[in-house]
Amino acid sequence: MNSTFALVGGMNNYLIEVKNLGKEFLQGGFWEGAMRVRALQQINLQVEAGKTLGLVGESGCGKSTLAKIIMRLEYPTQGSVFFEGQDIFQLRGKEIAKYRRQLGMIFQDPLSSINPRHTVEETLAEPFLIHSAHCRKERTTRVLNLLAAVGLPADIMDSYPHELSGGQRQRVGIARAIAMQPKLLVADEPVSSLDVSVRAQILNLLKDIQEKFSLSSLFISHDLAVVRFMSDTIAVMYAGTIVEQANSEDLFRAPRHPYTRLLLDSLPQMGQMSSCIPLKARVAREGQGACPFYGSCPSVLDLCAVAAPSLRQVADGHFLACHRYDTR
Amino acid sequence: MSAILTVDNLRVEFVNGERKTVAVAGVSLSLSQGEMLALVGESACGKTTLALALMGLLATPPARISCSGASFLGEPLLLEKTLSLQSLRGKKIAMIFQEPLSSLNPVIAIGEQITEGLRQHLRMEPKAARQRALELLDMVGIDRAEIIFRSYPHQLSGGMRQRVMIAIAFSCHPQVIIADEPTTALDVTVQAQILSLLKKLRTQEGVGFLFITHDLAVVAQEADSAAIMYAGKIVEVGKSKDILLHPLHPYTKGLLASLPITGKDARLPLRLPTIAGTVPRRDGNQPGCAFAPRCSEANAFCEQQTPTLRILDEQHLCACWRYE
Ligand SMILES: Nc1ncnc2c1ncn2[C@@H]1O[C@H](COP(=O)(O)OP(=O)(O)OP(=O)(O)O)[C@@H](O)[C@H]1O
Ligand SMILES: Nc1ncnc2c1ncn2[C@@H]1O[C@H](COP(=O)(O)OP(=O)(O)OP(=O)(O)O)[C@@H](O)[C@H]1O
Ligand code: SF4
Ligand SMILES: [Mg+2]
Ligand SMILES: [Mg+2]
């Protein structure tokens, strides 16, 4: 598979490559005092074919924005995204549809992404209708297989989205995303409203698909155990920037960035209280020179107040943006 | 501590044409002042339906509600008459909904959605309401409250919307808060902040929480008691510590076994353990224990008769034939 890539992509075998991505939003009403918010700054990421990149970070740090840009649902204000070596924002007409066909998309809000007037069967059969000609019977069989795969009973086929439970809706969203055997799965909190047993079932399913069809994914979740189970590499975001990125096991065994450490220490554990350190500075403000984590960091240097650290390689495949490690 | 909310034998079914789903199949529970009761259960077992019934937010039809008796602060609560609950809603009993995006109004600014309740229920002046709303946003850890006050739901991240919902639920000093997976969109550090806020409300203001969650570590850490629900029924209830350390019901045991390993040095399994099988839709006519088809400890009797909740240990109840 990689060899075909090399032809299309040129010099690397990344399925998706995010280069120098930035995104600004105007926030706070239409008329009065709108403020510029930097949701993403200088993001560089790669997903290799067949690999999973996990994305974790504070609520509001820009994860969904990044996912939406990759899905081509938002435009970046800086930088771009390359799929198989092609800039996805240069695609036109049919190429866009072709790109979308190769994506499986799971949204953070399941309700907002499924048509409320379509039954579960209609929702799940739709991709088969658009993308290839199957007879009705075959479509129904496929829908039934999908439902079984995500652990939903066959008799919910005729239900409408509002008649489903939160977790059932989320699983309909997952079923639809994997229906067409995508090359890249962009999954934004795909298992957040599932109980642990159903969640385990879904994660096993996604892992199977990854292995069988060498599916690549960008996997966003607040559940660190889930991200660890699913990902080869994990990127940790804070206030619109990547602060640490490493092989998944390395990151859990030897986290370096103070924010990553804080995150791992705050994991609620069975039988013990987790620490609770209030975080202060959350969104990077324009013109600020400090490290985005400056206001909350337990181990600041003088330098942290005046200059933002850049992402550097500190060990094989381990990237870090923290002044503490620059000097060593 | 006295019970502020009690429910006895609540049933909710949905009838759409010939299709009937029994979503809540006879649930009884009681919540004390300052208590956090965690409600845990398989996806689609009826947790949200139970919560919406307590809030009087189910449309009848398609829902059919029946209840042997319910009370709030000693007054009877007529759960079948959803209209009668209107005066309590938002004011005395508040709810944090599972899906924030669909419960916030997309065309009204966040600030207005928070101040609405303050002005309506607490009769606050616009200026004071605004001040209070900004405080509430700050309380739930939202940075730049002034800007967010003027923003619209689609301009917020998933976790920010969830925290706005939490702020709205807190706003009118309710005595009971029903929280339907309130921290699913929050990272662990923000979650820890929100949980400590809930604890403060419990200890300082005596707010009782019915806390629906899938996060068993949060249950272990925060909840006083826990109820485990399966296919519309509570199958095990007791002190949260007892349930998590000494689970009795085979479903609870399966749930705890499916937990992914979280320790820093833990070795990752290639596959996660699960409870085999799925829950069939129940129309209320099947006899026997609903878990029997998936239960490794089931015997022939389990498929014929429905087990009921019995006291097995001090304050620890379980509905399972294994313990007869
Ligand atoms: N359409 C928009 N208009 C204005 N601001 C936006 C818009 N979408 C997102 N933002 C802002 O961008 C920032 C990042 O939001 P994003 O949804 O990407 O966060 P997230 O990392 O997915 O958070 P969460 O974990 O809470 O879902 C937030 O400050 C948010 O308010
Ligand atoms: N309006 C409705 N019409 C018909 N059936 C419904 C309706 N609302 C819910 N149901 C069904 O009732 C059952 C219970 O749903 P509920 O939303 O209470 O589950 P839940 O325990 O909250 O699950 P989750 O953890 O997935 O959110 C499900 O089988 C669902 O399909
Ligand atoms: S009653 Fe029987 S089937 Fe049901 S949980 Fe107990 S042992 Fe299993
Ligand atoms: Mg998000
Ligand atoms: Mg629910």
Side-chain angles (χ1 to χ4, degrees):
Chain A
M1 194 168 178
N2 284 353
S3 56
T4 39
F5 255 131
L7 290 178
V8 198
M11 57 277 178
N12 58 44
N13 62 345
Y14 300 134
L15 181 64
I16 201 117
E17 189 171 17
V18 171
K19 275 193 183 159
N20 213 356
L21 201 70
K23 174 75 183 172
E24 287 188 358
F25 285 115
L26 278 181
Q27 208 175 52
F30 298 116
W31 318 112
E32 8 132 41
M35 182 186 158
R36 217 179 278 280
V37 175
R38 287 191 185 171
L40 296 173
Q41 289 187 75
Q42 302 261 345
I43 302 281
N44 287 293
L45 279 176
Q46 301 85 25
V47 184
E48 283 173 47
K51 300 280 188 209
T52 298
L53 174 71
L55 195 59
V56 300
E58 202 187 27
S59 169
C61 72
K63 303 177 297 296
S64 299
T65 304
L66 178 59
K68 283 184 201 153
I69 291 176
I70 291 176
M71 298 180 209
R72 229 176 161 284
L73 298 173
E74 291 272 8
Y75 276 87
T77 38
Q78 213 184 40
S80 199
V81 177
F82 297 83
F83 182 81
E84 298 187 328
Q86 269 210 313
D87 187 338
I88 62 166
F89 293 99
Q90 303 289 328
L91 303 176
R92 293 289 167 263
K94 276 190 184 150
E95 294 170 337
I96 298 176
K98 187 177 162 226
Y99 172 61
R100 288 256 167 79
R101 267 205 301 280
Q102 307 182 65
L103 288 192
M105 309 188 248
I106 303 174
F107 297 88
Q108 192 171 10
D109 287 281
L111 253 191
S112 63
S113 60
I114 39 185
N115 189 327
R117 281 178 293 277
H118 284 181
T119 62
V120 170
E121 181 173 15
E122 284 162 348
T123 301
L124 292 181
E126 192 188 282
F128 301 123
L129 275 176
I130 301 174
H131 295 315
S132 47
H134 290 297
C135 69
R136 202 195 141 90
K137 214 171 131 203
E138 195 186 331
R139 278 201 303 272
T140 308
T141 321
R142 287 196 174 214
V143 170
L144 284 172
N145 288 342
L146 279 173
L147 286 177
V150 295
L152 289 173
D155 58 8
I156 72 159
M157 285 232 287
D158 310 323
S159 300
Y160 289 91
H162 74 271
E163 299 174 338
L164 303 179
S165 81
Q168 288 177 325
R169 276 196 286 265
Q170 198 163 43
R171 282 179 279 168
V172 169
I174 294 169
R176 195 179 55 170
I178 59 176
M180 294 306 292
Q181 292 183 7
K183 269 191 189 166
L184 176 73
L185 181 71
V186 182
D188 194 354
E189 299 282 353
V191 293
S192 60
S193 39
L194 302 178
D195 65 276
V196 283
S197 166
V198 171
R199 187 177 68 191
Q201 197 181 332
I202 297 289
L203 295 177
N204 287 338
L205 170 75
L206 291 178
K207 253 216 154 138
D208 285 347
I209 300 177
Q210 279 176 359
E211 275 157 29
K212 233 185 264 167
F213 304 104
S214 90
L215 170 74
S216 312
S217 14
L218 177 71
F219 196 95
I220 301 173
S221 175
H222 284 306
D223 191 322
L224 298 172
V226 166
V227 175
R228 184 181 187 185
F229 177 73
M230 291 303 295
S231 318
D232 299 291
T233 310
I234 295 177
V236 182
M237 277 178 74
Y238 189 82
T241 61
I242 292 176
V243 295
E244 185 164 9
Q245 182 182 331
N247 169 290
S248 153
E249 283 313 290
D250 289 348
L251 193 86
F252 274 87
R253 293 232 171 82
R256 298 199 192 187
H257 196 280
Y259 176 65
T260 314
R261 290 189 187 184
L262 184 67
L263 208 57
L264 296 185
D265 287 343
S266 315
L267 248 180
Q269 301 269 330
M270 295 298 241
Q272 78 189 54
M273 275 303 288
S274 66
S275 54
C276 164
I277 300 161
L279 300 177
K280 278 167 258 135
R282 287 212 177 71
V283 176
R285 289 162 174 83
E286 221 167 342
Q288 265 187 345
C291 167
F293 196 51
Y294 177 68
S296 311
C297 185
S299 52
V300 287
L301 303 169
D302 289 344
L303 183 59
C304 306
V306 290
S310 53
L311 199 66
R312 288 164 205 250
Q313 184 153 356
V314 290
D316 189 27
H318 198 141
F319 297 85
L320 188 69
C322 175
H323 289 309
R324 284 251 157 217
Y325 292 84
D326 281 354
T327 46
R328 289 175 203 177
Chain B
M1 271 189 261
S2 55
I4 38 178
L5 178 70
T6 66
V7 181
D8 187 23
N9 196 20
L10 173 69
R11 278 181 72 86
V12 182
E13 11 181 278
F14 293 102
V15 185
N16 289 309
E18 309 134 53
R19 198 149 37 93
K20 184 172 127 186
T21 310
V22 179
V24 179
V27 163
S28 305
L29 51 84
S30 133
L31 184 70
S32 303
Q33 202 170 22
E35 183 189 19
M36 183 185 280
L37 168 63
L39 187 62
V40 178
E42 174 123 352
S43 174
C45 71
K47 304 177 295 294
T48 300
T49 307
L50 169 65
L52 293 176
L54 293 176
M55 295 292 295
L57 285 174
L58 287 172
T60 49
R64 262 198 235 149
I65 305 169
S66 73
C67 180
S68 308
S71 72
F72 177 68
L73 295 172
E75 301 279 316
L77 207 56
L78 299 172
L79 295 182
E80 305 89 331
K81 302 212 167 59
T82 49
L83 276 182
S84 69
L85 301 172
Q86 221 165 28
S87 59
L88 299 175
R89 203 187 301 149
K91 197 171 161 192
K92 296 276 169 62
I93 307 183
M95 179 155 174
I96 302 167
F97 295 90
Q98 190 172 6
E99 282 159 356
L101 192 56
S102 39
S103 38
L104 290 171
N105 190 326
V107 294
I108 298 181
I110 297 295
E112 211 172 310
Q113 302 197 45
I114 304 177
T115 50
E116 188 192 304
L118 295 171
R119 289 198 282 166
Q120 207 176 48
H121 298 312
L122 304 184
R123 311 242 163 269
M124 275 190 178
E125 296 296 317
K127 224 173 171 177
R130 183 191 147 87
Q131 199 47 46
R132 174 79 183 132
L134 291 176
E135 276 169 33
L136 284 162
L137 284 174
D138 196 54
M139 239 165 70
V140 294
I142 285 188
D143 190 28
R144 302 164 299 138
E146 291 268 353
I147 301 285
I148 299 303
F149 188 90
R150 281 184 268 124
S151 300
Y152 290 81
H154 76 273
Q155 297 181 312
L156 272 55
S157 81
M160 289 159 78
R161 285 195 284 261
Q162 199 162 36
R163 283 178 278 163
V164 167
M165 293 270 322
I166 295 174
I168 293 175
F170 289 171
S171 63
C172 298
H173 304 285
Q175 265 126 333
V176 169
I177 295 180
I178 301 176
D180 197 354
E181 303 190 28
T183 59
T184 45
L186 304 180
D187 62 280
V188 286
T189 57
V190 173
Q191 170 174 285
Q193 272 170 268
I194 295 291
L195 290 176
S196 77
L197 191 61
L198 300 194
K199 180 161 269 164
K200 210 161 90 192
L201 288 181
R202 263 154 46 222
T203 49
Q204 291 178 2
E205 299 184 29
V207 180
F209 279 87
L210 180 63
F211 195 87
I212 301 173
T213 182
H214 291 307
D215 194 331
L216 297 172
V218 169
V219 176
Q221 221 177 71
E222 300 292 326
D224 305 295
S225 41
I228 311 292
M229 213 170 153
Y230 187 83
K233 284 200 169 78
I234 291 180
V235 295
E236 182 165 3
V237 59
K239 293 219 188 78
S240 60
K241 232 199 285 149
D242 291 344
I243 290 190
L244 295 172
L245 294 179
H246 310 288
L248 295 173
H249 197 279
Y251 173 67
T252 317
K253 290 183 198 165
L255 209 57
L256 286 164
S258 314
L259 268 183
I261 300 98
T262 50
K264 266 189 193 169
D265 299 312
R267 285 199 67 81
L268 274 189
L270 286 176
R271 287 182 76 78
L272 298 169
T274 63
I275 304 172
T278 51
V279 201
R281 189 195 285 269
R282 292 182 70 80
D283 57 16
N285 296 325
Q286 296 93 334
C289 169
F291 191 57
R294 305 170 72 185
C295 180
S296 56
E297 302 178 41
N299 54 37
F301 194 64
C302 299
E303 309 210 339
Q304 287 153 22
Q305 295 237 6
T306 313
T308 50
L309 274 178
R310 282 161 202 268
I311 302 177
L312 291 182
D313 247 332
E314 202 192 334
Q315 293 182 44
H316 193 159
L317 287 77
C318 177
C320 171
W321 290 124
R322 237 192 115 239
Y323 299 96
E324 288 301 299

